[in-house]
Amino acid sequence: MNINTTLNYSPNFDIKKRKFEQIKFIIFHYTGMKNDKEAINRLTDVKSKVSSHFLIRDNGKIITLVPELYVSWHAGISSWQNYKSLNKHSIGIEISNPGHDNKYKKFSKKQIQSILKLSKYLIKKYKIKSKFILGHSDIAPLRKKDPGEKFPWKHLSKNNVGLWHDLNEKKLFKTRALKVYKYHEINFLKNLYKIGYSRVFNKDKNKNIKLLIKAFQRRFRQALINGKIDQECLLISKNIVKKFK
């Protein structure tokens, strides 16, 4: 399986090559820039100290920015399960999208087709597990929102890229916004930690927990991002824990 890409190399990567078997994750991002040109300029500017392995443009065309066996600078301070600093273990894929600060929009059909094609190529090549296909907000929930609630996780999962719950949507909807008891809230957070989300917080713990809940919602309950634990979130978290074992 071959992927057609355009080469536009970024200087922002670690000089030392990594081993093939070190690659365990695919991490999706949005660029957060107003257009392709701004995104490419930033990802290839030595001063930005930011890059990724691939960029998927608005029209679905794929650009290679950093060769796969080099560590690109896309994840920053991050963690998942027992892994710290995800850069050294991951392939970073940026998707052109203005993001939450610049009129966040749906990802195009051509972009989604390219996401699927590129992901399947990488999954096969590096034997990447479904539970290790994540968003930037999964691995850095206190800092990041991307790729956001408009990213097509459910659609990707149906096409064997990443994971989604398998609960009945109509029954699930009836539990939305229904209150939970304190011990349910504790169990929900325990579920998030079991899945892989970080439990490392800085000073304002309540604010950080709200950001953590929002990261989970952007990934698995995209219709309502409010940072509040309800019965729907609790049920989804229980279902997802089984899949992330």
Side-chain angles (χ1 to χ4, degrees), residues 8 24 78 89 95 110 122 151 159 166 180 213 216-217:
N8 190 344
K24 306 284 186 185
S78 53
H89 297 292
I95 302 116
K110 287 183 178 179
L122 294 169
F151 192 72
N159 288 275
D166 53 15
V180 294
I213 296 164
F216 174 83
Q217 290 171 338

Side-chain angles (χ1 to χ4, degrees), residues 26-139:
I26 294 173
I27 308 296
F28 293 114
H29 309 255
Y30 63 45
T31 57
M33 308 299 285
K34 291 178 182 178
N35 53 51
D36 284 349
K37 186 179 179 182
E38 284 189 15
I40 293 167
N41 286 343
R42 184 163 188 268
L43 291 166
T44 57
D45 182 359
V46 69
K47 293 177 183 176
S48 75
K49 298 182 180 180
V50 173
S51 63
S52 63
H53 293 92
F54 299 98
L55 168 66
I56 298 176
R57 302 183 61 164
D58 266 332
N59 61 7
K61 299 289 185 183
I62 303 170
I63 296 175
T64 296
L65 296 165
V66 175
E68 294 159 26
L69 288 181
Y70 290 90
V71 174
S72 74
W73 303 340
H74 64 96
I77 298 168
S78 53
S79 67
W80 189 259
Q81 294 184 359
N82 295 322
Y83 291 87
K84 308 293 180 188
S85 300
L86 271 289
N87 277 342
K88 58 189 174 185
H89 297 292
S90 62
I91 299 283
I93 301 175
E94 290 270 5
I95 302 116
S96 187
N97 188 297
H100 290 85
D101 295 333
N102 297 298
K103 298 181 180 179
Y104 184 42
K105 64 180 183 180
K106 286 185 177 179
F107 297 85
S108 71
K109 288 183 180 178
K110 287 183 178 179
Q111 284 181 321
I112 293 168
Q113 288 170 357
S114 293
I115 290 166
L116 282 170
K117 189 173 183 181
L118 178 57
S119 298
K120 288 182 177 181
Y121 160 78
L122 294 169
I123 289 165
K124 186 176 181 181
K125 184 174 180 179
Y126 296 103
K127 296 181 173 58
I128 293 172
K129 297 175 182 177
S130 293
K131 66 180 182 178
F132 286 165
I133 298 173
L134 306 167
H136 200 184
S137 59
D138 291 321
I139 63 171

